[in-house]
Amino acid sequence: MTQPSPELADATALLAAEAERVRTGGGRLVLLRGATGTGRTTVLEAAAEQAAALGLKTLRARCSPADTAISFSTVLQLLGPVPEFADLAVDGDERATAAGLWRVLRAYAAASPLLVAVDDVHLADAPSQRWLVESARHIDRLPILLVIGERSQYDLDPPTPGFAHTLPPALVRTHTLAPLTPEAAAGRVRRAFPTADRPWIDACVGAAAGSPLLLRALLDDLDETRHPTVPTSTAALYPGSYPAAVQWWLDSAGPATTEVARALAVLDEGTGTGLLPEHDITPLLAELAGADPTRVAGWLTAMTNLGLLTPGPDGHPHYPHPLLRDAVLTGVPASRRRAVHRAIAEAMLRQDAPAEAVARQLLASGPVAAAWAPPLLKDAATLALCDDRSEDAVAYLRRALEEPLSDDHRQRLLTELGSLEFAAPRSSAAIPRLAEAVRLPAAPQDRVRAVVALGTALTGRGRTRKAVEVLHSVDGELDGHPDLVRTLHTASVLLSDQDQEVRQEVYRRLSETADRSPEQVGTAGQALLVRHAASAGLTSARDAMRQLRTLLAEPADPLTEPFLVGTAAAVAQWADELDEADRLVDRGLAGQRPDLLHPMREALLNSRTDIAAARADYAHLTGFPESVAPGNTHAHTLIALVETGRTARAESLVAGIDLRVAQDSWELNRFLYARGVVRAAAGDPAGALYDFLECGRRQSAREVVSPVVTPWRTAAAECRLALGRPLEAIALAEEELRLARIWGTPRTVGRALRVLGTATGGHRGLDLTEEAVRLLRDAPAAGTEPAEALLALGRRLTAAGEAARARDCLREAAEHAERLGAVRLVELAEQVLRQGGARSARRRTGAASLTGSERRIAELAAEGRTNVEIAALLHLARRTVETHLTHTYKKLGIRRRTDLRPALDRGVPLP
């Protein structure tokens, strides 16, 4: 016997009870209603088996669209050939034919109680429907259970009156079948595939969309071993029961409903409706399908209630699984889909839909050759970039290139697209696109933007010489535009930093030009010469900043201003003018277009990282890029990990960097220095010394000798001390001190004095170290150097027998390091204290020194809560909150409430 599913148990129980009543009394009429695929046929089959078990004879008919043209075809299928009524003819006299067929039915009932089951009565021919309705009026006189299955679903075409439309309600028992609940559907999947995991089951439930019909067909097609994940395309299904079931559902719904269902599928196909205003989707679908908007709204609501659609986060209805959407589109030609996408885009445009919503449809429409398409796609790309969605922006610009464009528009588009594609991992399209942009005719400024972008891309791929050659090749095309020529020359100078040999050639030409005709290099070129002099140890921080501030005060050319501002930011950071450097970086980045590749953008981002490192702002130095080629960010992250006590983590990251793919650039030198720091912290002074000396050799070959860029000499000197070679250490430290005094900032001079004092030892060494502490103790932007100097002085004083002063210095060093979150230095200070017989420095400062109550109150205050709100939340007096915050400010070394969050974050260990 057929075992109906638990979801159909109520319906089968109802029919069983009615069949039992028919055996003992008059007839009954049960109307079984439900949407396509909800199980009406299954219930009727189960009812037939139950009736047979009770001794009822069953007469069954299943209606189809082919029956509608033949009068009484459903009734004749139901009653079948009856020998004693062989002379019954179905002729034009409907009344006489109906009477004869009624006699046949009564004859069957006289012989045995009957179950008369008619499935899909809505497809029956009109005479049969009238005969069945009329028979239902008199069924109570006969032992007949009449069960009528009728499709009950909201379609776009207005429905015809239902079977029971003219019958008195008292004659009809109606039972409506509901769609499967997610839990019930999941149970069916689990029974079919007991080992399936939850994501696989959930995907099946979504694709079935509450329909038993679709779920059964899907499970027929699926196999866990063949389909470890539920596919999103019907092409992956075999034997194809699922798409056939979806097609049958569409055929049952009618052409108007099918058109709307497919329009929604196209709208949702790979693009989504998330960018549409909520009220726009109904009139949009109605316009596409040529349907009544009111009917479309009703259909969307009904299908959502049935589970065939589901509301998305955007509030719009979606198909609950891509496989269902694909099945709805099965058989729709690609050309038809593209046409629908275009129609959707045009309809959205008329409804003033957001640019990205229209652009997403154009992605699938193919070229539309409409004047509005390219600018709209460009606008969509701009919006995507504002949301930091560069992949979407690239897709829009690629699509815009498919439209007919003038040369100048194509040139600008290629420049923007190539710039964005360059940032994509393993992209090979950027340089060819930018090269094409350079070849196309365009306005001089656009030509310059394109060639600067191409030069930046070439340099990024290790082809610095080629980049400089390309930049200079355009000079002859810019007669009458000296400002643009200066821009190209300035860009070539900046790009040359990535290649030692090219850098020397370019800077030599720049210097010669500046000596001969200063106006030809412009303010940005002069700024680059100031930076070169600073790195070469030829100028002081004060003089360099004075020159740069003068240059910044002059009128700026839009194309060269980024070079001027970015160069000034780098030098300001070297000069420990960190606030000014921050402002310059913000100014420079604000002037950058994210859709144009520019060498100064990366330089500005590097300056921002350098500023954070100079402040020992370790919370902002935790991002380790995935690139295997070493860079500036890698270097700062490694040093931050060492300083915060995570040397093992730093060692593991170093092991993942392949120097064989590294370009011979300043970033490689910075990485070598950082690797030396890691090796020194890990107890490998020989390995560290190699890295520091190699960094120095490379820097010196680039004419970069000032310790303001990379203090490799003092780092190497400390390694030589650890290896027992103090004379070599002294020579390195003295040379760094000489160069540091030229630059003249407390950080560089103090560092050199500290290391020289340690290497020298004795009274002279103590004097040098004390001088370093005096210089650094109150320096406004010295990072960890004051703690380093205090620690060194504590050691010197301990060696000199001045234990009390040594303890004071070591505890001050620990407190300073603790405020910065420099765990390594805190531990070193405590270690030296213990070795000298003193107790470890009590944590009196920094986030780690806060009590539990202080920490809770500080966190709430950092979230923006007022003192009154905090008191109420923690059930404290306001005075208590104020006292705790006063103590917290003192421990954190801050003065303002707005400084709480950064100070608290600095006390959190790096992840």
Side-chain angles (χ1 to χ4, degrees):
M1 180 176 178
T2 301
Q3 293 295 325
S5 64
E7 300 79 36
L8 303 177
D10 290 346
T12 53
L14 169 64
L15 295 181
E18 295 298 339
E20 185 65 40
R21 290 191 185 96
V22 166
R23 293 177 60 201
T24 60
R28 314 285 290 185
L29 168 62
V30 175
L31 181 60
L32 197 63
R33 307 180 78 226
T36 299
T38 50
R40 297 190 312 274
T41 300
T42 301
V43 173
L44 289 176
E45 289 174 352
E49 294 188 16
Q50 290 173 338
L54 292 173
L56 274 67
K57 182 179 178 60
T58 300
L59 303 178
R60 299 172 63 185
R62 180 173 295 168
C63 307
S64 72
D67 297 336
T68 57
I70 305 172
S71 296
F72 289 107
S73 61
T74 297
V75 181
L76 291 176
Q77 179 191 161
L78 184 71
L79 300 179
V82 183
E84 56 268 38
F85 295 101
D87 59 341
L88 182 63
V90 178
D91 52 27
D93 188 349
E94 182 179 326
R95 192 178 188 86
T97 301
L101 292 171
W102 173 251
R103 291 197 304 274
V104 174
L105 181 62
R106 289 184 61 184
Y108 274 121
S112 169
L114 293 177
L115 167 66
V116 178
V118 181
D119 199 3
D120 290 334
V121 73
H122 52 283
L123 299 177
D125 60 280
S128 291
Q129 286 199 34
R130 287 190 288 269
W131 184 87
L132 287 168
V133 170
E134 189 60 30
S135 298
R137 297 182 189 279
H138 308 291
I139 205 77
D140 57 336
R141 305 174 192 172
L142 301 171
I144 298 175
L145 173 58
L146 177 59
V147 183
I148 301 294
E150 182 177 49
R151 183 175 184 272
S152 173
Q153 186 168 299
Y154 195 107
D155 293 319
L156 269 294
D157 293 321
T160 57
F163 180 81
H165 177 66
T166 62
L167 292 175
L171 291 180
V172 186
R173 290 290 305 275
T174 301
H175 184 88
T176 301
L177 298 174
L180 286 174
T181 64
E183 294 77 14
R188 290 194 183 191
V189 178
R190 203 173 289 110
R191 287 193 292 274
F193 297 99
T195 62
D197 59 21
R198 187 70 206 187
W200 199 84
I201 291 172
D202 289 343
C204 289
V205 171
S211 168
L213 168 74
L214 297 186
L215 181 59
R216 184 170 59 251
L218 178 64
L219 296 180
D220 287 345
D221 286 342
L222 289 182
D223 184 308
E224 281 181 289
T225 58
R226 271 189 303 123
H227 298 287
T229 59
V230 176
T232 58
S233 169
T234 57
L237 298 180
Y238 180 81
S241 302
Y242 178 81
V246 173
Q247 188 59 51
W248 186 76
W249 170 73
L250 291 172
D251 291 343
S252 300
T257 299
T258 298
E259 191 68 19
V260 171
R262 285 177 170 161
L264 178 60
V266 172
L267 183 66
D268 202 23
E269 183 185 23
T271 58
T273 60
L275 296 169
L276 279 172
E278 184 174 354
H279 66 276
D280 273 358
I281 190 170
T282 296
L284 177 61
L285 289 172
E287 180 178 345
L288 291 168
D292 180 356
T294 303
R295 299 291 303 173
V296 172
W299 181 80
L300 292 171
T301 301
M303 293 303 101
T304 301
N305 290 338
L306 287 173
L308 286 157
L309 298 177
T310 183
D314 52 18
H316 298 303
H318 297 261
Y319 287 99
H321 193 275
L323 184 62
L324 177 56
R325 183 187 64 226
D326 189 64
V328 170
L329 291 172
T330 297
V332 179
S335 58
R336 171 63 177 152
R337 292 194 193 189
R338 289 194 295 270
V340 174
H341 278 296
R342 173 172 181 164
I344 291 173
E346 291 172 343
M348 286 180 171
L349 199 63
R350 288 192 292 273
Q351 295 179 13
D352 295 323
E356 275 206 81
V358 183
R360 285 181 181 271
Q361 297 304 319
L362 290 178
L363 290 177
S365 72
V368 297
W372 53 266
L376 183 137
L377 287 161
K378 177 65 174 64
D379 289 346
T382 301
L383 292 169
L385 283 177
C386 290
D387 290 340
D388 200 23
R389 290 182 288 110
S390 59
E391 289 185 5
D392 288 342
V394 166
Y396 297 140
L397 294 180
R398 285 176 179 168
R399 172 63 185 80
L401 278 179
E402 298 175 5
E403 296 292 330
L405 296 166
S406 62
D407 282 346
D408 57 337
H409 282 98
R410 181 171 296 276
Q411 192 269 355
R412 288 194 292 271
L413 198 60
L414 285 166
T415 303
E416 295 168 16
L417 179 55
S419 296
L420 293 176
E421 287 178 326
F422 178 78
R426 296 177 296 278
S427 170
S428 61
I431 290 177
R433 288 200 200 277
L434 292 170
E436 183 183 353
V438 171
R439 288 193 297 268
L440 286 173
Q445 284 199 344
D446 291 331
R447 293 271 289 152
V448 168
R449 289 190 179 98
V451 77
V452 167
L454 177 57
T456 307
L458 288 167
T459 301
R461 297 291 185 260
R463 300 166 63 187
T464 303
R465 183 169 294 281
K466 178 64 175 176
V468 172
E469 290 173 357
V470 167
L471 287 165
H472 284 287
S473 70
V474 184
D475 285 2
E477 304 172 20
L478 298 173
D479 291 340
H481 298 279
D483 53 335
L484 299 182
V485 173
R486 282 196 298 270
T487 298
L488 293 179
H489 290 176
T490 304
S492 69
V493 174
L494 187 63
L495 292 174
S496 72
D497 277 339
Q498 301 299 325
D499 185 286
Q500 171 184 315
E501 185 178 341
V502 177
R503 182 180 189 272
Q504 291 175 339
E505 296 172 9
V506 169
Y507 269 99
R508 184 173 61 252
R509 285 200 300 266
L510 181 66
S511 298
E512 291 171 354
T513 303
D515 291 340
R516 185 177 62 254
S517 305
E519 70 282 354
Q520 290 186 17
V521 301
T523 54
Q526 293 175 51
L528 285 167
L529 287 172
V530 171
R531 190 190 70 164
H532 183 269
S535 64
L538 302 175
T539 187
S540 68
R542 177 177 297 180
D543 286 344
M545 289 307 300
R546 177 183 53 77
Q547 293 177 67
L548 288 170
R549 287 168 182 145
T550 300
L551 293 171
L552 287 166
E554 295 182 17
D557 175 74
L559 285 178
T560 57
E561 183 181 22
F563 297 100
L564 171 61
V565 173
T567 302
V571 177
Q573 181 265 314
W574 292 344
D576 289 339
E577 299 285 353
L578 301 185
D579 291 340
E580 185 171 358
D582 255 335
R583 291 192 295 271
L584 288 167
V585 168
D586 290 342
R587 174 180 163 185
L589 288 174
Q592 290 283 307
R593 283 179 52 180
D595 57 343
L596 287 180
L597 196 58
H598 196 284
M600 189 47 76
R601 178 174 177 80
E602 191 65 28
L604 287 163
L605 293 175
N606 275 322
S607 289
R608 176 167 283 173
T609 304
D610 293 343
I611 293 166
R615 288 187 169 127
D617 190 359
Y618 301 127
H620 292 86
L621 297 171
T622 58
F624 201 76
E626 295 180 2
S627 168
V628 296
N632 188 50
T633 304
H634 295 92
H636 283 307
T637 299
L638 292 174
I639 295 173
L641 288 170
V642 168
E643 293 299 335
T644 52
R646 303 195 62 196
T647 302
R649 172 62 176 156
E651 287 183 283
S652 68
L653 292 175
V654 164
I657 296 295
D658 186 359
L659 294 188
R660 292 173 299 178
V661 300
Q663 298 181 40
D664 184 14
S665 71
W666 68 271
E667 292 196 80
L668 172 59
N669 301 342
R670 184 70 59 86
F671 177 82
L672 287 170
Y673 176 83
R675 191 174 71 174
V677 171
V678 174
R679 286 176 167 175
D684 179 14
L689 179 61
Y690 169 82
D691 282 338
F692 293 138
L693 292 178
E694 180 63 12
C695 169
R697 183 188 69 78
R698 290 170 175 270
Q699 291 285 68
S700 299
R702 295 167 58 85
E703 300 176 342
V704 177
V705 298
S706 173
V708 71
V709 181
T710 309
W712 63 269
R713 293 178 185 82
T714 46
E718 289 179 312
C719 292
R720 281 183 164 156
L721 275 177
L723 293 170
R725 293 149 66 182
L727 294 180
E728 295 176 7
I730 290 173
L732 283 168
E734 285 178 338
E735 176 63 10
E736 180 144 319
L737 179 59
R738 182 186 71 80
L739 292 166
R741 290 196 187 281
I742 293 173
W743 185 244
T745 57
R747 186 198 300 263
T748 54
V749 175
R751 181 195 301 114
L753 285 168
R754 167 178 61 82
V755 176
L756 181 57
T758 300
T760 302
H763 291 296
R764 172 64 177 156
L766 181 59
D767 291 343
L768 290 169
T769 310
E770 286 181 329
E771 184 182 351
V773 169
R774 286 194 299 273
L775 191 62
L776 290 166
R777 181 176 266 145
D778 297 320
T784 58
E785 287 303 328
E788 295 269 19
L790 287 162
L791 179 58
L793 180 58
R795 285 171 166 159
R796 299 270 65 74
L797 290 169
T798 300
E802 299 186 44
R805 283 187 64 199
R807 285 194 295 270
D808 290 341
C809 284
L810 293 170
R811 284 173 176 148
E812 185 182 352
E815 290 174 3
H816 185 92
E818 193 175 345
R819 281 197 297 271
L820 297 174
V823 176
R824 179 185 69 87
L825 290 175
V826 172
E827 292 175 348
L828 280 175
E830 292 181 343
Q831 178 184 346
V832 176
L833 277 167
R834 287 193 299 271
Q835 290 171 349
R839 290 181 299 174
S840 298
R842 184 168 59 87
R843 299 292 178 91
R844 292 176 295 178
T845 61
S849 68
L850 300 180
T851 66
S853 296
E854 288 169 345
R855 182 82 194 195
R856 283 193 297 273
I857 291 171
E859 289 287 353
L860 290 170
E863 291 173 5
R865 307 270 189 176
T866 65
N867 290 356
V868 173
E869 290 172 334
I870 296 170
L873 283 169
L874 300 181
H875 306 289
L876 298 172
R878 189 177 72 177
R879 181 67 178 170
T880 302
V881 173
E882 292 170 350
T883 300
H884 276 70
L885 283 174
T886 299
H887 293 162
T888 298
Y889 286 4
K890 183 178 293 186
K891 289 181 178 181
L892 296 179
I894 61 174
R895 296 181 179 180
R896 296 185 297 273
R897 204 180 192 93
T898 53
D899 294 333
L900 268 172
R901 174 49 59 203
L904 291 171
D905 288 345
R906 279 199 296 270
V908 179
L910 291 174

